[in-house]
Amino acid sequence: MTRRTIFMVAGLALLAAAPILFPFTQFVLTIAIAKGFAALGVALLLRAGLISLGHAMFYAIGAYAAAFLSARLGITDIFAILVFSVAISALSGVLIGLFLVRYRAIFFAMLNLAVSMVAYSLASKAYGITGGTDGLRVSVPTILGMSVEKSSFDVVLYYLVLVLMVGVGILMHRYMRSPLGHALSAVHSNEIRLEYLGVSARSTLLAAYTISATLAGIGGAIAAVSIGHVLPEFAFWTESGHLVLTAVLGGIAGIAGPFLGSIFLELIHTFAVGYAAEAWNMIIGIAMLVVIFFLPRGLFGLVERITGGKSRKGEAKL
Amino acid sequence: MVFIPLIVDALANAALIFFVAVGLTLVFSVLRILNVAHGSFYSIGAYLAASAGLWIVSAGAPGWLTFPTLLLSAIFVAVLFGPVVERTLIRWTYGKSEAVQVLVTFALFLILEDLQRMVFGVQSVYQDTPMTMLGVVEIGGIVYLNYQLLLIALAVFMLIALKLFISYSRTGKLLSAVVADREVSQAMGIDTSRMFVIAFSVGVFLAALGGALATPTSGVSPGLGADTMVLAFAVAAIGGLGQVEGAAIAAIIVAFAKVLAIYFAPSLDAVAPYLVMLAVLVVRPYGLFGTETARRI
């Protein structure tokens, strides 16, 4: 085992033990990992040099899908909710991706922002479907048909989310190592050469866009059942900005980076609420500037530095 | 004849949007940076103008003093933030990727949001002396706010002034040279870093002026910066990033879309600007007046 693997396993063990040692961390970590999924989606696109200022929309789509299934259709099983949310967010990823992967650079960022603001405005106005600005309530889901108390559901959800994180992490690792994943970084470094090799940049990006939308959707669904309420604010553009911040703070080169960034931010947030609630945005802003100035590879880069050598050649950079 | 007040409403609205969008577009065309914190300068200008206006009125000073206050607030914000922010944060991001530029300005946005909250509190501020002092005028049986007409006049004045400044003043010509080709203009001896400071400060001034002028009709409340930012973004994108006239026409289009939505489909008023933006960008990603520079596949 490399030192990196030991570090990862230790990190997971720590995550698994955290709610037992400090019960207050359970909710915080659930939300942190949910946002970590969305940030991983953003990081995926950043590898191709595309910055999405609208990915909170897919987070919201996942959340609203979960809420809709539970509140409007009366299907409350957690697994049904997760599958449904993934399907809906993947579908919306394909549909919106078909339009948006034609664009690059600042145009990509702007169009994502525009689409997400349309979604945000519609979610706040379509009272009959989305509950308007009141949002939708999500009742406590059942687990394979068993109804449970909210507190025990939260425990099950937390460990389910941990398993999901590892599973998705492994799949994403495979994807990054596959030709499709490598082609993604190639879009960033030299798109024309990629096309000369006979690889379609467009379908490479469409696959990545769909995957990234699905990841955000998983995060949204988890957040919806964990919080028990979804609001249009989930899709507001500042949330998208936060997801980009989280991805870059954690580091976009590795799979673990965005999760690391998200957990780090949520924990700081939890502690800051008591002491510096008024200055919370300022703290993140300054932290972000420090990271961009001094740790261009994010917190995960710091982990790599500690756990030792690995070739950084050909890795994703901002 | 329900449409005539509607037109004045829309144009007054467009005037305010124009100030902030043209600032964003100017900064983008010279510095090649999309400043996410632009909306914060708008709301800081608004807070400062409204608070100063309240202070003047409560101190018993004559009400007409609130008019120069609007302008002075904007100048103050520009002098305070323009050079400092450009010379430190923004300058560092030149030549970096768009992702880094967006992130740095987003971080700045977060910092400025809390800074406003600390300085001005979380209460809404409303100060309408300039509007009430100007009163109303009745033309053809319809009553208009004189302040709205003043806003429209100011926006037209600013559009002409900007065009004259860019085409005829020495600084304006140098700015155009930098926009046309940064490296060559540098090689020819233009002090580009000075141009960047000037352009950025003018952009901050325009945003803050838009905010200050908006306060007498609508007041200021927290969250204004974030809302303004997306609106300015939409307008600048519709007009084509870097296009001054484009920003003016896009501001009018967006304002009309908004006012029409309020009249005919009230539930769509918030969606209207973004739908317009989406419709325009899908057909012309570089905006109505923009030129295609980015490589597309």
Side-chain angles (χ1 to χ4, degrees), chain A residues 200-240:
Chain A
S200 155
R202 196 171 166 182
S203 47
T204 306
L205 283 180
L206 184 59
Y209 196 88
T210 308
I211 293 172
S212 88
T214 313
L215 286 170
I218 297 173
I222 295 168
V225 290
S226 175
I227 299 169
H229 203 122
V230 294
L231 289 169
E233 274 71 23
F234 279 28
F236 199 60
W237 72 271
T238 52
E239 287 303 312
S240 302

Short mmCIF file of all heavy atoms in Angstrom, two decimals, chain A residues 200-240:
data_model
loop_
_atom_site.label_atom_id
_atom_site.label_comp_id
_atom_site.label_asym_id
_atom_site.label_seq_id
_atom_site.Cartn_x
_atom_site.Cartn_y
_atom_site.Cartn_z
N SER A 200 -13.77 13.10 -30.94
CA SER A 200 -14.68 14.24 -30.96
C SER A 200 -14.66 14.96 -29.62
O SER A 200 -14.98 14.37 -28.58
CB SER A 200 -16.09 13.76 -31.28
OG SER A 200 -17.02 14.68 -30.77
N ALA A 201 -14.25 16.23 -29.66
CA ALA A 201 -14.23 17.02 -28.42
C ALA A 201 -15.64 17.16 -27.88
O ALA A 201 -15.88 17.15 -26.68
CB ALA A 201 -13.63 18.39 -28.69
N ARG A 202 -16.60 17.26 -28.82
CA ARG A 202 -17.96 17.49 -28.42
C ARG A 202 -18.54 16.32 -27.62
O ARG A 202 -19.15 16.52 -26.57
CB ARG A 202 -18.80 17.77 -29.66
CG ARG A 202 -20.10 18.37 -29.29
CD ARG A 202 -20.85 18.86 -30.48
NE ARG A 202 -22.20 19.10 -30.03
CZ ARG A 202 -23.18 19.51 -30.81
NH1 ARG A 202 -22.94 19.72 -32.09
NH2 ARG A 202 -24.37 19.68 -30.33
N SER A 203 -18.34 15.09 -28.13
CA SER A 203 -18.92 13.97 -27.38
C SER A 203 -18.15 13.70 -26.10
O SER A 203 -18.72 13.27 -25.11
CB SER A 203 -19.02 12.72 -28.26
OG SER A 203 -17.82 12.52 -28.95
N THR A 204 -16.83 13.97 -26.12
CA THR A 204 -16.06 13.86 -24.87
C THR A 204 -16.64 14.79 -23.82
O THR A 204 -16.85 14.40 -22.66
CB THR A 204 -14.59 14.28 -25.13
OG1 THR A 204 -14.09 13.52 -26.20
CG2 THR A 204 -13.75 14.05 -23.89
N LEU A 205 -16.92 16.02 -24.23
CA LEU A 205 -17.44 17.00 -23.28
C LEU A 205 -18.87 16.68 -22.88
O LEU A 205 -19.25 16.90 -21.72
CB LEU A 205 -17.38 18.40 -23.89
CG LEU A 205 -16.00 19.04 -23.89
CD1 LEU A 205 -16.07 20.42 -24.51
CD2 LEU A 205 -15.44 19.13 -22.49
N LEU A 206 -19.66 16.17 -23.83
CA LEU A 206 -21.05 15.85 -23.49
C LEU A 206 -21.08 14.76 -22.42
O LEU A 206 -21.85 14.83 -21.46
CB LEU A 206 -21.83 15.42 -24.73
CG LEU A 206 -23.31 15.15 -24.49
CD1 LEU A 206 -24.00 16.39 -23.94
CD2 LEU A 206 -24.00 14.69 -25.76
N ALA A 207 -20.20 13.74 -22.59
CA ALA A 207 -20.13 12.69 -21.58
C ALA A 207 -19.74 13.29 -20.23
O ALA A 207 -20.37 13.02 -19.20
CB ALA A 207 -19.11 11.63 -22.01
N ALA A 208 -18.73 14.16 -20.25
CA ALA A 208 -18.27 14.76 -18.99
C ALA A 208 -19.35 15.64 -18.38
O ALA A 208 -19.57 15.63 -17.17
CB ALA A 208 -17.01 15.59 -19.25
N TYR A 209 -20.06 16.39 -19.25
CA TYR A 209 -21.09 17.29 -18.74
C TYR A 209 -22.21 16.50 -18.08
O TYR A 209 -22.70 16.84 -17.00
CB TYR A 209 -21.65 18.14 -19.88
CG TYR A 209 -22.44 19.34 -19.40
CD1 TYR A 209 -21.80 20.54 -19.14
CD2 TYR A 209 -23.81 19.26 -19.19
CE1 TYR A 209 -22.51 21.64 -18.68
CE2 TYR A 209 -24.52 20.35 -18.72
CZ TYR A 209 -23.86 21.54 -18.48
OH TYR A 209 -24.56 22.62 -18.01
N THR A 210 -22.60 15.38 -18.74
CA THR A 210 -23.66 14.55 -18.18
C THR A 210 -23.22 13.95 -16.84
O THR A 210 -23.98 13.96 -15.87
CB THR A 210 -24.02 13.42 -19.16
OG1 THR A 210 -24.27 14.01 -20.44
CG2 THR A 210 -25.21 12.64 -18.70
N ILE A 211 -21.98 13.43 -16.80
CA ILE A 211 -21.49 12.86 -15.55
C ILE A 211 -21.47 13.93 -14.46
O ILE A 211 -21.88 13.69 -13.32
CB ILE A 211 -20.09 12.25 -15.75
CG1 ILE A 211 -20.19 11.04 -16.69
CG2 ILE A 211 -19.48 11.83 -14.43
CD1 ILE A 211 -18.85 10.49 -17.12
N SER A 212 -21.00 15.11 -14.82
CA SER A 212 -20.88 16.15 -13.79
C SER A 212 -22.27 16.60 -13.31
O SER A 212 -22.46 16.87 -12.12
CB SER A 212 -20.06 17.32 -14.31
OG SER A 212 -20.86 18.25 -14.96
N ALA A 213 -23.25 16.63 -14.22
CA ALA A 213 -24.61 16.99 -13.81
C ALA A 213 -25.18 15.91 -12.89
O ALA A 213 -25.84 16.21 -11.89
CB ALA A 213 -25.50 17.15 -15.03
N THR A 214 -24.88 14.64 -13.23
CA THR A 214 -25.39 13.55 -12.41
C THR A 214 -24.78 13.59 -11.00
O THR A 214 -25.49 13.40 -10.00
CB THR A 214 -25.06 12.20 -13.07
OG1 THR A 214 -25.41 12.29 -14.45
CG2 THR A 214 -25.80 11.07 -12.42
N LEU A 215 -23.47 13.87 -10.94
CA LEU A 215 -22.81 13.96 -9.63
C LEU A 215 -23.47 15.06 -8.79
O LEU A 215 -23.77 14.86 -7.60
CB LEU A 215 -21.33 14.28 -9.81
CG LEU A 215 -20.45 13.13 -10.31
CD1 LEU A 215 -19.08 13.65 -10.68
CD2 LEU A 215 -20.34 12.05 -9.25
N ALA A 216 -23.72 16.21 -9.42
CA ALA A 216 -24.36 17.31 -8.69
C ALA A 216 -25.75 16.89 -8.24
O ALA A 216 -26.19 17.21 -7.13
CB ALA A 216 -24.43 18.55 -9.57
N GLY A 217 -26.47 16.13 -9.12
CA GLY A 217 -27.81 15.68 -8.78
C GLY A 217 -27.82 14.72 -7.59
O GLY A 217 -28.69 14.82 -6.72
N ILE A 218 -26.84 13.82 -7.54
CA ILE A 218 -26.74 12.91 -6.37
C ILE A 218 -26.59 13.75 -5.11
O ILE A 218 -27.27 13.53 -4.10
CB ILE A 218 -25.51 11.98 -6.51
CG1 ILE A 218 -25.64 11.07 -7.74
CG2 ILE A 218 -25.34 11.13 -5.25
CD1 ILE A 218 -24.39 10.24 -8.02
N GLY A 219 -25.69 14.73 -5.18
CA GLY A 219 -25.47 15.60 -4.01
C GLY A 219 -26.77 16.29 -3.59
O GLY A 219 -27.11 16.31 -2.40
N GLY A 220 -27.51 16.80 -4.57
CA GLY A 220 -28.75 17.50 -4.26
C GLY A 220 -29.77 16.58 -3.60
O GLY A 220 -30.44 16.97 -2.64
N ALA A 221 -29.88 15.34 -4.13
CA ALA A 221 -30.85 14.39 -3.55
C ALA A 221 -30.50 14.08 -2.10
O ALA A 221 -31.38 14.03 -1.23
CB ALA A 221 -30.87 13.12 -4.39
N ILE A 222 -29.20 13.89 -1.84
CA ILE A 222 -28.77 13.60 -0.47
C ILE A 222 -29.11 14.78 0.44
O ILE A 222 -29.66 14.62 1.54
CB ILE A 222 -27.25 13.32 -0.42
CG1 ILE A 222 -26.93 12.04 -1.19
CG2 ILE A 222 -26.77 13.20 1.02
CD1 ILE A 222 -25.46 11.85 -1.45
N ALA A 223 -28.81 15.98 -0.04
CA ALA A 223 -29.09 17.17 0.77
C ALA A 223 -30.59 17.29 1.04
O ALA A 223 -31.01 17.62 2.14
CB ALA A 223 -28.58 18.42 0.05
N ALA A 224 -31.41 16.98 0.00
CA ALA A 224 -32.86 17.12 0.17
C ALA A 224 -33.39 16.21 1.26
O ALA A 224 -34.14 16.64 2.14
CB ALA A 224 -33.56 16.81 -1.16
N VAL A 225 -32.99 14.92 1.24
CA VAL A 225 -33.53 14.01 2.27
C VAL A 225 -32.91 14.29 3.63
O VAL A 225 -33.52 14.06 4.66
CB VAL A 225 -33.34 12.52 1.90
CG1 VAL A 225 -34.25 12.15 0.75
CG2 VAL A 225 -31.91 12.18 1.58
N SER A 226 -31.68 14.81 3.63
CA SER A 226 -31.04 15.07 4.91
C SER A 226 -31.63 16.31 5.58
O SER A 226 -31.92 16.32 6.77
CB SER A 226 -29.54 15.25 4.70
OG SER A 226 -28.93 15.63 5.90
N ILE A 227 -31.82 17.39 4.80
CA ILE A 227 -32.37 18.63 5.36
C ILE A 227 -33.88 18.50 5.54
O ILE A 227 -34.45 19.02 6.49
CB ILE A 227 -32.04 19.83 4.45
CG1 ILE A 227 -30.53 20.00 4.34
CG2 ILE A 227 -32.66 21.11 4.98
CD1 ILE A 227 -30.10 20.98 3.26
N GLY A 228 -34.54 17.76 4.59
CA GLY A 228 -35.98 17.61 4.68
C GLY A 228 -36.74 18.75 4.03
O GLY A 228 -37.94 18.89 4.21
N HIS A 229 -36.02 19.60 3.30
CA HIS A 229 -36.66 20.75 2.68
C HIS A 229 -35.80 21.21 1.51
O HIS A 229 -34.58 21.24 1.64
CB HIS A 229 -36.77 21.89 3.70
CG HIS A 229 -37.85 22.86 3.37
ND1 HIS A 229 -38.89 23.13 4.22
CD2 HIS A 229 -38.06 23.62 2.28
CE1 HIS A 229 -39.70 24.01 3.67
NE2 HIS A 229 -39.21 24.33 2.50
N VAL A 230 -36.45 21.54 0.37
CA VAL A 230 -35.66 22.12 -0.72
C VAL A 230 -36.20 23.50 -1.06
O VAL A 230 -37.39 23.76 -0.92
CB VAL A 230 -35.67 21.23 -2.00
CG1 VAL A 230 -34.97 19.92 -1.75
CG2 VAL A 230 -37.07 21.01 -2.49
N LEU A 231 -35.31 24.38 -1.45
CA LEU A 231 -35.66 25.78 -1.73
C LEU A 231 -35.05 26.20 -3.07
O LEU A 231 -34.04 25.64 -3.49
CB LEU A 231 -35.09 26.68 -0.64
CG LEU A 231 -35.74 26.60 0.74
CD1 LEU A 231 -34.91 27.34 1.77
CD2 LEU A 231 -37.15 27.15 0.68
N PRO A 232 -35.66 27.20 -3.74
CA PRO A 232 -35.08 27.68 -5.00
C PRO A 232 -33.64 28.17 -4.82
O PRO A 232 -32.84 28.10 -5.75
CB PRO A 232 -35.99 28.83 -5.41
CG PRO A 232 -37.26 28.61 -4.69
CD PRO A 232 -36.92 27.91 -3.42
N GLU A 233 -33.32 28.66 -3.63
CA GLU A 233 -31.96 29.19 -3.38
C GLU A 233 -30.87 28.16 -3.68
O GLU A 233 -29.72 28.53 -3.90
CB GLU A 233 -31.81 29.64 -1.92
CG GLU A 233 -32.26 31.06 -1.66
CD GLU A 233 -33.77 31.21 -1.74
OE1 GLU A 233 -34.47 30.19 -1.55
OE2 GLU A 233 -34.24 32.33 -2.00
N PHE A 234 -31.25 26.87 -3.68
CA PHE A 234 -30.26 25.83 -4.02
C PHE A 234 -29.63 26.13 -5.38
O PHE A 234 -28.50 25.75 -5.63
CB PHE A 234 -30.94 24.45 -4.10
CG PHE A 234 -31.15 23.79 -2.76
CD1 PHE A 234 -31.32 24.53 -1.62
CD2 PHE A 234 -31.18 22.39 -2.66
CE1 PHE A 234 -31.53 23.92 -0.39
CE2 PHE A 234 -31.39 21.77 -1.44
CZ PHE A 234 -31.56 22.54 -0.30
N ALA A 235 -30.40 26.78 -6.27
CA ALA A 235 -29.93 26.99 -7.65
C ALA A 235 -29.38 28.39 -7.89
O ALA A 235 -28.99 28.70 -9.00
CB ALA A 235 -31.07 26.71 -8.64
N PHE A 236 -29.35 29.24 -6.87
CA PHE A 236 -28.90 30.62 -7.09
C PHE A 236 -27.43 30.65 -7.50
O PHE A 236 -26.66 29.77 -7.12
CB PHE A 236 -29.11 31.44 -5.81
CG PHE A 236 -29.11 32.93 -6.04
CD1 PHE A 236 -30.04 33.51 -6.89
CD2 PHE A 236 -28.18 33.75 -5.42
CE1 PHE A 236 -30.04 34.87 -7.11
CE2 PHE A 236 -28.19 35.12 -5.63
CZ PHE A 236 -29.12 35.68 -6.48
N TRP A 237 -27.05 31.66 -8.28
CA TRP A 237 -25.70 31.63 -8.87
C TRP A 237 -24.58 31.69 -7.83
O TRP A 237 -23.49 31.17 -8.06
CB TRP A 237 -25.51 32.75 -9.89
CG TRP A 237 -25.40 34.14 -9.33
CD1 TRP A 237 -26.41 35.00 -9.06
CD2 TRP A 237 -24.19 34.82 -8.95
NE1 TRP A 237 -25.92 36.17 -8.56
CE2 TRP A 237 -24.57 36.09 -8.48
CE3 TRP A 237 -22.83 34.48 -8.98
CZ2 TRP A 237 -23.64 37.02 -8.02
CZ3 TRP A 237 -21.92 35.42 -8.52
CH2 TRP A 237 -22.33 36.67 -8.04
N THR A 238 -24.84 32.31 -6.67
CA THR A 238 -23.78 32.36 -5.66
C THR A 238 -23.47 30.94 -5.16
O THR A 238 -22.33 30.64 -4.80
CB THR A 238 -24.17 33.25 -4.48
OG1 THR A 238 -25.44 32.84 -3.99
CG2 THR A 238 -24.27 34.70 -4.90
N GLU A 239 -24.49 30.07 -5.14
CA GLU A 239 -24.25 28.67 -4.76
C GLU A 239 -23.32 27.99 -5.76
O GLU A 239 -22.43 27.23 -5.38
CB GLU A 239 -25.57 27.89 -4.67
CG GLU A 239 -26.41 28.24 -3.48
CD GLU A 239 -25.67 28.02 -2.17
OE1 GLU A 239 -25.06 26.95 -1.99
OE2 GLU A 239 -25.68 28.95 -1.33
N SER A 240 -23.55 28.28 -7.04
CA SER A 240 -22.65 27.73 -8.07
C SER A 240 -21.23 28.21 -7.83
O SER A 240 -20.27 27.45 -7.97
CB SER A 240 -23.10 28.17 -9.45
OG SER A 240 -24.42 27.76 -9.69
#
